[in-house]
Amino acid sequence: MWARGPPEPRRRRWLRALRRRLPVLGWLPRYSPGWLQLDLIAGVTVGLTVVPQALAYAEVAGLPPQVGVRAPGRAGTRSHRGYWGQPHAWGGAACAWAGGGSGRAPSAVLSTFVPAQYGLYSSFVGCFVYCFLGTAKDVTLGPTAIMSLLVSSYAFHDPVYAVLLTFLSGCIQLAMGLLHLGEMLLLHTVMFWGYALELLPALCSLRCWGCPANACDSSVCVQPPHGPQQGQQCTYCPLSRAGFLLDFISCPVIKGFTSAASITISFNQVKNILGLHGIPRQFFLQVYETLRRIGETRPGDAILGLTCLAALAGLRAMKSRLPPASHMEPLATRASYLIVWTCATARNALVVLFAGLVAYCFQLRGSQPLTLTGSIPQGLPPCRLPPFSKAEPNGTVPFGTMVEDMGVGLAVVPLMGLVETIAIAKAFASQNDYRIDPNQELLAMGFANVMGSFFSSYPVTGSFGRTAVNAQTGVCTPAGGLVTGALVLLSLAYLTSLFYYIPKAALAAVIISAVVPMFDAGIFRTLWRVKRLDLVPLCVTFLFCFWEVQYGIVAGVLVSGILLLYSIARPPLKVSGQGTLLVQPGSSLHFPAIEHLRDVICSRALSASSPRSIILDCHRISSIDYTVVVGLAELLQELRKHGISLAFCSLQDQVLRALLAADLEGFRHFPSWEEAERCGGAEPGGSGAAPFDSTSTSESSLLPTGLIQ
């Protein structure tokens, strides 16, 4: 028999643990019909946004590769093959069309290299998973422009690599999120199985922690309002534990990356707006080829694409200037407001629908001046293991080689996904007055990517645009994601035949409209006013991202790290006085800074007309290391040779203990610099000071108040 002990406290602990890991248990027992209505409206609205965006983002991700794209580090060419080497239905047609097959070309110019179904495959699993594991009511997971650009860089336009990247990124995110759970699982796994069945009925009887019985009408609260219990580490501090690595990606780096990504993604779609084919994906080659071949522009694609861009911009502006409707307004006014608001919110779906109708009308007339998306396989994606090898005509690419090919992408993709999701969740949680658990968000995103890899998804993350739509439509709980996911599944099951007629120019307009706001021109002006040195990592990241995304991020992080190390190696030093020099470091001392400190003190002390003594004010120094202790000992000896004494004042406890433990010869310290002056017999800046007595005093007389025992 299990030794159960006091049943109630133990049960309560397990209820808290389960509800922390399954946030759905916090809001589901309190779910109301009023919430259901708002969640349905929000879910449908987001679904009308995500379907056209998913079709468009597959183009940004570049899935699958063009014929003849060379695998990194290997000879040979990639073929249009799916998992386990089976050719896709679209693969043969694409190869024949690209290679100039003998068959008659169809009247419509089809997209031969972009199976848009991968965007849809990536759009529903995250919605379902986040409903159960997410802690923010507004966030929606799915394909985004940034993540699609990263997939394009690290998956080599190959669906097999993209799906494996999804699985491995999810595993990495899960591992980061689970790091702090190891101790709890080790202590309580045995008890869990003894009490799981008893806890389940009680889960539905508890209300949300920290919320009154009648509160929480429109938010999802998953954390207790008070601090962690004794002996527990705070699990809802932003990016705690493994997530601290993200602190080294500075805001200028992220801004430079997103601004460059906005330009890169937008210009990548110019070829679709102009109806050009065979444009390389590398940014500089893309600019060159687009300008060189601009005379080959297809008028139909250009006119439709520019019209869609204008319509999207107009609807966006209309929504931003739409005044809120009051309940006191007449019914006709409120109905008009609802119609305009719905059209502006679902503008992507309306524009794509309009463009599809135009293309269908041209198809009925027997002429097609537009480039169409083409056939999309109908039906839901099969559930199968992610691919751990890739079949090639000349052999099989093993798992290890695929991981080696993806390289740094296995770090960049999960970390950038985490940055994007946490930033969005924190922004909307602050706006709508609720709290999130960043560690739980990491678990939710990791599990969504792992599960998505079983359904041919490429990596997903939080979408700012769709999250904003979700919040503006008044979503109450993450259950709105269930509606969005169901709408995507219905589209895959029944509407894929209609996607054939969607012009690529319309999808390109949707992408450009979505990513242009990502370019933050004001950040350059802001950093110029706030701190001009931060413009260096911003510009480095911005420029290098046009070469390769990974190089831009790495270069920006390296430059930020160099600037951070420089500030550590060259802390600000304030030196005042003549006969008695008062030296005040502006921050803690670490080993790169000690030589700089010695050089400044020695140069000022020896250049003074009558150097007597030096006071080192340490009230801003919170920590030192062994190299600093050694450097201070050498500084004491060097100054003693020239008849100059050095005294320390305002030492913090940790620093004082380190210096006392080092037993420095001639070390003296005082509670304040005023007392050090009195002992030295001179005011700072005076000229007749008597030198300090260089002999050591007893330890008890040197200890500041509170340390004498």
Side-chain angles (χ1 to χ4, degrees), residues 323-456:
S326 172
H327 292 289
M328 305 301 295
E329 298 285 345
L331 179 60
T333 303
R334 285 183 288 161
S336 302
Y337 170 85
L338 180 61
I339 293 173
V340 174
W341 181 88
T342 302
C343 293
T345 303
R347 57 185 177 273
N348 291 332
L350 290 178
V351 166
V352 170
L353 178 61
F354 166 78
L357 290 175
V358 171
Y360 182 71
C361 292
F362 279 116
Q363 191 77 6
L364 292 179
R365 295 178 55 187
S367 63
Q368 186 57 267
L370 305 174
T371 305
L372 304 184
T373 299
S375 298
I376 296 178
Q378 187 170 357
L380 306 181
C383 180
R384 55 189 169 190
L385 288 172
F388 296 102
S389 63
K390 175 176 170 55
E392 294 278 4
N394 55 351
T396 300
V397 183
F399 173 75
T401 303
M402 297 177 70
V403 172
E404 183 182 352
D405 289 343
M406 288 183 283
V408 71
L410 294 176
V412 173
V413 170
L415 286 180
M416 289 307 300
L418 174 59
V419 168
E420 199 170 0
T421 301
I422 295 298
I424 293 170
K426 289 175 66 176
F428 282 89
S430 175
Q431 175 182 327
N432 295 324
D433 196 23
Y434 62 88
R435 290 180 304 187
I436 65 165
D437 181 350
N439 195 70
Q440 181 64 25
E441 292 293 302
L442 184 56
L443 292 174
M445 186 168 53
F447 195 71
N449 278 320
V450 170
M451 291 298 297
S453 67
F454 286 80
F455 295 93
S456 305

Side-chain angles (χ1 to χ4, degrees), residues 312-643:
L312 289 170
L315 290 172
R316 179 192 292 273
M318 182 187 302
K319 184 178 181 180
S320 63
R321 291 173 173 80
L322 190 64
S326 172
H327 292 289
M328 305 301 295
E329 298 285 345
L331 179 60
T333 303
R334 285 183 288 161
S336 302
Y337 170 85
L338 180 61
I339 293 173
V340 174
W341 181 88
T342 302
C343 293
T345 303
R347 57 185 177 273
N348 291 332
L350 290 178
V351 166
V352 170
L353 178 61
F354 166 78
L357 290 175
V358 171
Y360 182 71
C361 292
F362 279 116
Q363 191 77 6
L364 292 179
R365 295 178 55 187
S367 63
Q368 186 57 267
L370 305 174
T371 305
L372 304 184
T373 299
S375 298
I376 296 178
Q378 187 170 357
L380 306 181
C383 180
R384 55 189 169 190
L385 288 172
F388 296 102
S389 63
K390 175 176 170 55
E392 294 278 4
N394 55 351
T396 300
V397 183
F399 173 75
T401 303
M402 297 177 70
V403 172
E404 183 182 352
D405 289 343
M406 288 183 283
V408 71
L410 294 176
V412 173
V413 170
L415 286 180
M416 289 307 300
L418 174 59
V419 168
E420 199 170 0
T421 301
I422 295 298
I424 293 170
K426 289 175 66 176
F428 282 89
S430 175
Q431 175 182 327
N432 295 324
D433 196 23
Y434 62 88
R435 290 180 304 187
I436 65 165
D437 181 350
N439 195 70
Q440 181 64 25
E441 292 293 302
L442 184 56
L443 292 174
M445 186 168 53
F447 195 71
N449 278 320
V450 170
M451 291 298 297
S453 67
F454 286 80
F455 295 93
S456 305
S457 167
Y458 67 81
V460 300
T461 184
S463 167
F464 185 85
R466 296 193 295 272
T467 299
V469 171
N470 211 23
Q472 291 167 3
T473 49
V475 69
C476 293
T477 68
L482 296 179
V483 182
T484 301
L487 196 59
V488 174
L489 290 178
L490 290 174
S491 300
L492 279 168
Y494 302 108
L495 301 180
T496 51
S497 59
L498 301 179
F499 296 158
Y500 177 97
Y501 298 102
I502 296 177
K504 292 189 67 179
L507 296 180
V510 170
I511 294 176
I512 294 174
S513 175
V515 300
V516 163
M518 289 166 45
F519 182 79
D520 188 1
I523 188 64
F524 296 90
R525 183 172 59 255
T526 301
L527 291 181
W528 181 263
R529 295 197 308 264
V530 176
K531 187 177 182 181
R532 297 178 183 179
L533 195 60
D534 282 340
L535 285 170
V536 177
L538 173 71
C539 294
V540 168
T541 306
F542 181 77
L543 295 176
F544 271 76
C545 278
F546 291 120
W547 180 20
E548 288 289 348
V549 172
Q550 60 269 31
Y551 298 154
I553 297 173
V554 172
V557 172
L558 287 177
V559 171
S560 296
I562 291 172
L563 295 178
L564 176 64
L565 291 176
Y566 182 82
S567 65
I568 295 175
R570 296 294 182 268
L573 297 175
K574 181 181 179 182
V575 183
S576 58
Q578 294 295 328
T580 299
L581 296 181
L582 178 63
V583 181
Q584 297 174 299
S587 62
S588 293
L589 290 179
H590 301 282
F591 65 90
I594 186 60
E595 288 299 326
H596 175 62
L597 176 67
R598 289 179 57 185
D599 292 342
V600 170
I601 291 179
C602 290
S603 62
R604 290 294 299 270
L606 298 179
S607 64
S609 57
S610 55
R612 301 296 185 185
S613 58
I614 300 172
I615 301 173
L616 185 60
D617 188 351
C618 303
H619 74 279
R620 289 191 176 94
I621 301 176
S622 60
S623 64
I624 59 175
D625 52 45
Y626 177 72
T627 305
V628 173
V629 174
V630 172
L632 292 176
E634 295 175 351
L635 179 63
L636 284 168
Q637 296 176 1
E638 185 174 357
L639 292 175
R640 190 180 303 112
K641 293 178 182 178
H642 295 86

